[in-house]
């Protein structure tokens, strides 16, 4: 990675960590360990959405895949933030790897220490477009409220597909639909073709794996 890009990423990490701290994203240990349930505070409603998504994900994706496999899954958690999803899935016996570009203790991977003290899982500081894992690494690859941070959606999904085994599953959780964003409205107002949805690009990039959008 060249020096200007490294400097830019370092500034982004520091600035975004400060922004997240100002939003109240840094939680005390008891709150972290209860995620995705946050019972009070200005972010409780948002976490309520995450909790409902998590239950649906378990019921319709993770648990059925594990039952069919007859074994714990190897899971790649992309844009993992503080690692709460890897923690929850590791508690269920799965082998989890949490990946995020940030390692601060606000809600980056540095905050995963509380989780990893209770159940082991790996944490890797890396970008979506250069995952430090071998080909066909994961049975299940998850973008958990993270795909909308991709700077190159096609490249990001192609890299996720590379890291997912043949017949594996790529899941997109709680990411805004492109068609609902202001950018998409401006796009259509210019009478240009609508941009492809994330799920359409995922299907193209992951021709050898299943995709789910929850």
């Amino acid at each position: 990675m060249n020096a200007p890009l490294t400097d830019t990423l370092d500034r982004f990490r520091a600035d975004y960590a400060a922004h997240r701290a100002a939003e109240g994203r840094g939680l005390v240990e008891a709150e972290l360990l209860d995620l995705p349930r946050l019972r009070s505070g200005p972010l409780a409603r948002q976490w309520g959405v995450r909790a409902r998504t998590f239950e649906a994900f378990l019921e319709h994706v993770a648990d059925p895949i594990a039952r069919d496999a007859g074994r714990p899954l190897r899971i790649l958690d992309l844009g993992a933030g503080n690692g709460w999803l890897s923690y929850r899935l590791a508690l269920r016996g799965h082998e989890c790897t949490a990946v995020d570009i940030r390692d601060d203790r606000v809600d980056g991977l540095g905050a995963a220490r509380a989780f990893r003290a209770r159940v082991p899982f790996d944490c890797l500081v890396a970008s979506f477009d250069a995952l430090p894992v071998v080909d066909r690494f994961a049975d299940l690859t998850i973008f958990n409220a993270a795909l909308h941070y991709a700077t190159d959606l096609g490249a990001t999904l192609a890299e996720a597909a590379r890291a997912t085994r043949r017949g594996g599953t790529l899941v997109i959780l709680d990411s805004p639909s492109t068609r609902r964003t202001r950018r998409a409205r401006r796009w259509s107002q210019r009478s240009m073709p609508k941009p492809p949805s994330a799920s359409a690009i995922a299907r193209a990039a992951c021709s050898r794996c299943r995709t789910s959008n929850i």
Side-chain angles (χ1 to χ4, degrees), residues 1 8 23 40 50 53 73 76 96 119 127 129 149 154 157 164:
M1 187 178 293
T8 299
E23 288 184 325
S40 61
R50 297 282 187 88
T53 298
L73 303 176
L76 194 55
C96 298
V119 63
S127 73
D129 299 343
Y149 290 109
L157 288 169
T164 306

Side-chain angles (χ1 to χ4, degrees), residues 63-184:
D63 289 352
I65 292 173
R67 283 196 299 269
D68 289 346
R71 58 172 174 78
L73 303 176
R74 177 178 281 185
I75 296 174
L76 194 55
D77 177 10
L78 301 181
N82 60 30
W84 74 264
L85 181 60
S86 286
Y87 169 65
R88 286 291 170 189
L89 294 172
L91 286 175
R92 300 173 77 86
H94 300 301
E95 180 186 342
C96 298
T97 299
V99 180
D100 202 282
I101 201 168
R102 295 169 46 228
D103 60 355
D104 60 82
R105 294 188 181 183
V106 179
D107 66 340
L109 291 175
R113 180 179 299 181
F115 300 136
R116 298 173 75 195
R118 288 158 177 80
V119 63
F121 61 89
D122 291 332
C123 289
L124 300 175
V125 180
S127 73
F128 288 154
D129 299 343
L131 300 174
V133 298
V134 298
D135 292 355
R136 305 179 188 178
F137 173 80
D139 301 302
L140 176 59
T141 298
I142 309 163
F143 288 97
N144 181 28
L147 185 59
H148 49 283
Y149 290 109
T151 55
D152 184 333
L153 191 57
T156 294
L157 288 169
E159 180 68 349
R162 178 195 67 78
T164 306
R165 70 168 178 81
R166 293 188 181 276
T169 302
L170 171 63
V171 181
I172 301 167
L173 303 177
D174 284 343
S175 276
S177 170
T178 306
R179 293 181 182 178
R180 296 179 185 175
T181 62
R182 293 180 181 176
R183 181 179 179 184

